[in-house]
Amino acid sequence: MTTTSLTDSQRVVVTGLGATTPLGGDVPSTWQALLAGKSGVAVLTQDWVESLPVHIAASAAVDPSETLERVEVKRNDRSGQFALVASREAWADAGSPDIDGDRLGVVIATGIGGVLTTLANYDLLREKGARRVHPLAVPMLMPNSAAAHVGLDLGARAGVHTPVSACASGAEAVSYAVDMIRGGRADIVVAGGTEAAIHPLNMAAFAQMQALSTRNDEPERASRPYDKGRDGFVLGEGAGVLVLETLEHARARGATVYAEIAGAGITSDAHHIAAPDPVGRGATRAMQFALKAAGLAPEQIAHINAHATSTPTGDVAEAKAIAGVLGDAVGTPCVSATKSMTGHLLGAAGAIETIFTVLALRERTAPPSVNLDDPDDEVRLDVVRGEPRRLPDGPLAALNNSFGFGGHNVALAVRSVDQ
Amino acid sequence: MAASEQEILEGLAEIVNEETGIPTSDVQPDKSFTDDLDIDSLSMMTIVVNAEEKFGVRIPDDDVKGLSTVGDAVSYIQKASS
């Protein structure tokens, strides 16, 4: 199964992981909490919550001010702070590679960008006047701010990019990084996604779309993908970042290789600005393209980290698309819906779920989905419920799906790599 | 009562430290914001905006350009607040 037409100079592998999430301030703590089935969702304590229909969210487990310098906190939007924390962990995990900055790239995606900075400065403008607007507001609120700050931090001069495709952004960043490396633009790319959008305006706006769960009395049970009682997603925040390079480059410097990003499929629905295509045509094509790019057959997929946000329509559309792509092999992969624990990190979701997919293959353990008490009759998938599931011995492959408002579909194929 | 030069210097040093991380002890009257403290124009604006709030003064953008040293800023603020 690990045979591929690509050479080691074309195969792009993961050599470093970093994250800060509602489950933990780094990758090890997040992964352990995920395997333990812990929820990162809680009732918000901010006083503005009472005026909203939704009182719950998945806030970061560790505030970035606990690890960053005070000036770094002041000069970065919260989304940039998360990105710095995660990228530094990923870079250290990759062994802090000795690389010419001209050959180092950064791709940090976001769904909304520096929206907390935008809104805080609008408050300042209205309450105190134009003179009180922060002189660094623009470089903090611009969507590429997090990527640019990470690029500055690492000295990356091969290009700094910010894909924006709503909740598919983080996965699109990983795909973009693969293209940068295969295209010869960079030897190493630091790629991922970040989001910090827990604010009454954003929550009111998502709530007006009927997109958020209102299970305010049971926050830990609010995110329940595939369950009949699901009533929307839970907003989360944080960042996930991966270090990517070719297998040849990784081996030449003696790096630890987690897994290979074997293929990516990106499509668009052209169906509706926010609603998913009811039969998931765009999602289907994305998965098919990812499998083809990776040279994988459906029966070779042992695990899927689904997009599965816990919305009534989205979960079923994706489940149908997965079933259609896998055909007779629909029962083979075990499916994890990790947003049941992390909540939905929007532009960071695709990145942290790529990390989860990579770790699932590396550790041969699929994380559980929680709160799936009464499965939706339309979902014909083998969902990992309650406890983690051991994956088979031998070479492994997996899919990670990410979809976003606007009709964005990204599927990534991940494959184990022999050490 | 208007603040003394020493009080203004200490208050300014706190702002510079808060906005840039430069130690307060480095913020001395003879230091140039750009040449000695390596403060760029955007950082200078954040210092000015915070100083305006702290000392209750207004420092027009054209006047900011004339404040090359910490001592220049201290004198300007004292004059403006007296």
Side-chain angles (χ1 to χ4, degrees):
Chain A
M1 183 174 83
T2 51
T3 54
T4 168
S5 58
L6 295 174
T7 66
D8 287 359
S9 65
Q10 295 170 309
R11 295 173 68 187
V12 175
V13 297
V14 179
T15 57
L17 302 174
T20 183
T21 75
L23 298 177
D26 57 16
V27 169
S29 60
T30 296
W31 181 244
Q32 287 310 312
L34 198 73
L35 294 186
K38 290 185 178 165
S39 170
V41 183
V43 174
L44 292 170
T45 55
Q46 289 92 328
D47 54 10
W48 46 258
V49 161
E50 287 303 317
S51 65
L52 299 176
V54 176
H55 299 172
I56 55 176
S59 304
V62 177
D63 196 88
S65 62
E66 292 185 28
T67 48
L68 296 179
E69 297 289 332
R70 185 166 43 98
V71 172
E72 290 173 328
V73 173
K74 288 195 79 109
R75 290 174 168 240
N76 279 274
D77 179 78
R78 188 169 171 84
S79 60
Q81 296 168 20
F82 288 141
L84 277 176
V85 170
S87 63
R88 285 174 182 169
E89 183 192 1
W91 190 249
D93 188 43
S96 300
D98 181 18
I99 182 173
D100 176 0
D102 288 358
R103 301 293 302 161
L104 174 63
V106 168
V107 188
I108 301 290
T110 179
I112 316 185
V115 66
L116 298 185
T117 296
T118 303
L119 294 166
N121 278 275
Y122 185 57
D123 289 343
L124 284 171
L125 174 68
R126 292 201 306 171
E127 291 163 14
K128 296 188 172 182
R131 190 65 178 174
R132 291 291 174 268
V133 170
H134 200 296
L136 294 173
V138 170
M140 287 166 71
L141 67 82
M142 59 192 192
N144 55 313
S145 180
H149 276 286
V150 170
L152 278 167
D153 195 48
L154 297 175
R157 297 186 298 269
V160 169
H161 305 276
T162 304
V164 176
S165 50
C167 307
S169 305
E172 192 165 323
V174 175
S175 174
Y176 196 106
V178 170
D179 288 347
M180 278 181 82
I181 293 167
R182 286 204 185 133
R185 287 182 52 201
D187 291 327
I188 296 180
V189 176
V190 174
T194 189
E195 204 75 80
I198 298 176
H199 181 283
L201 176 68
N202 302 319
M203 290 187 59
F206 279 121
Q208 288 292 74
M209 297 179 82
Q210 315 297 315
L212 295 181
S213 171
T214 55
R215 199 179 285 264
N216 294 327
D217 297 335
E218 296 180 292
E220 296 186 350
R221 297 175 59 74
S223 185
R224 42 198 313 115
Y226 303 131
D227 186 85
K228 278 181 183 164
R230 69 191 186 279
D231 69 334
F233 72 81
V234 175
L235 184 60
E237 63 172 3
V241 173
L242 305 91
V243 175
L244 303 168
E245 56 195 298
T246 64
L247 182 58
E248 181 181 68
H249 194 269
R251 288 197 164 139
R253 69 180 189 86
T256 299
V257 175
Y258 281 98
E260 177 185 4
I261 305 298
I266 301 182
T267 65
S268 47
D269 282 349
H271 166 73
H272 185 276
I273 193 64
D277 181 316
V279 290
R281 278 172 293 206
T284 297
R285 287 165 49 240
M287 285 184 268
Q288 288 169 337
F289 291 160
L291 290 174
K292 187 177 178 191
L296 290 165
E299 59 270 21
Q300 292 177 298
I301 299 299
H303 170 59
I304 297 175
N305 189 305
H307 187 58
T309 64
S310 184
T311 60
T313 53
D315 288 10
V316 168
E318 181 187 16
K320 286 180 178 172
I322 291 172
V325 168
L326 296 183
D328 293 340
V330 67
T332 303
C334 59
V335 177
S336 298
T338 48
K339 289 186 183 80
S340 60
M341 292 163 282
T342 62
H344 190 353
L345 277 68
L346 308 182
I352 67 162
E353 287 157 22
T354 301
I355 291 172
F356 295 159
T357 309
V358 163
L359 285 173
L361 296 191
R362 170 95 176 166
E363 307 288 328
R364 294 190 182 279
T365 304
S369 306
V370 300
N371 300 325
L372 179 47
D373 300 329
D374 188 8
D376 191 307
D377 297 330
E378 292 191 86
V379 176
R380 295 191 303 121
L381 303 174
D382 177 13
V383 181
V384 182
R385 294 169 67 177
E387 298 291 322
R389 177 103 51 98
R390 173 83 183 167
L391 294 175
D393 292 336
L396 289 172
L399 282 174
N400 171 31
N401 283 341
S402 299
F403 313 124
F405 287 162
H408 307 275
N409 309 293
V410 181
L412 299 175
V414 183
R415 179 163 42 203
S416 60
V417 175
D418 296 333
Q419 294 299 310
Chain B
M1 195 180 79
S4 71
E5 276 199 20
Q6 186 60 31
E7 286 167 341
I8 293 170
L9 177 64
E10 286 170 8
L12 197 58
E14 281 171 18
I15 292 169
V16 170
N17 173 255
E18 186 75 18
E19 297 301 321
T20 67
I22 294 168
T24 52
S25 57
D26 287 2
V27 185
Q28 296 298 329
D30 61 330
K31 298 288 187 189
S32 158
F33 286 110
T34 50
D35 297 341
D36 296 324
L37 301 180
D38 198 24
I39 292 171
D40 63 27
S41 60
L42 278 175
S43 299
M44 187 66 188
M45 280 309 298
T46 67
I47 292 164
V48 165
V49 168
N50 280 283
E52 286 184 343
E53 177 127 23
K54 185 168 195 141
F55 299 111
V57 298
R58 176 85 170 87
I59 310 174
D61 293 352
D62 284 348
D63 291 356
V64 173
K65 292 170 191 146
L67 306 178
S68 64
T69 66
V70 173
D72 293 342
V74 171
S75 301
Y76 187 99
I77 291 166
Q78 190 176 41
K79 197 172 162 190
S81 60
S82 59

